[in-house]
Amino acid sequence: MYFLLFKILLLIGLTRLLVATSRPFLCSGIYTVVVTGMFLLLNVPLLNTLIAAAIIAATSSLYFWLLDYFSDSPVAYFLVLFLGLVIGLV
């Protein structure tokens, strides 16, 4: 429960960083490293952690890139923002 809340709060914070820097792959890299580190701290097996890290890197890169791409269109931006918080469940 707390891990899910932490990931969603991390996504929100990184979204603010994206607005300030316009660097989507920096945000996705930070997200991937932090969540992978949390998996390792929770003693998740290494193979599972590496597979999850690859999936998280791909989905978060797409998410932050789409947010950056649609930053000029408020409707599309907020649609991607709210629908993309689902990657916090991955």
Side-chain angles (χ1 to χ4, degrees), residues 7-88:
K7 288 189 337 180
I8 291 174
L9 290 175
L10 179 64
L11 279 172
I12 292 170
L14 288 173
T15 302
R16 292 184 51 96
L17 177 66
L18 177 68
V19 170
T21 63
S22 294
R23 297 181 64 191
F25 297 110
L26 171 69
C27 297
S28 68
I30 292 171
Y31 182 76
T32 302
V33 167
V34 170
V35 173
T36 302
M38 292 296 293
F39 281 156
L40 291 173
L41 287 174
L42 294 172
N43 292 325
V44 176
L46 185 61
L47 182 61
N48 293 353
T49 300
L50 293 176
I51 292 170
I55 294 169
I56 290 167
T59 56
S60 65
S61 293
L62 178 64
Y63 174 66
F64 288 115
W65 180 80
L66 284 173
L67 281 176
D68 189 48
Y69 184 78
F70 289 118
S71 63
D72 296 333
S73 172
V75 174
Y77 179 83
F78 284 108
L79 182 66
V80 171
L81 179 70
F82 292 121
L83 292 178
L85 288 179
V86 172
I87 70 168

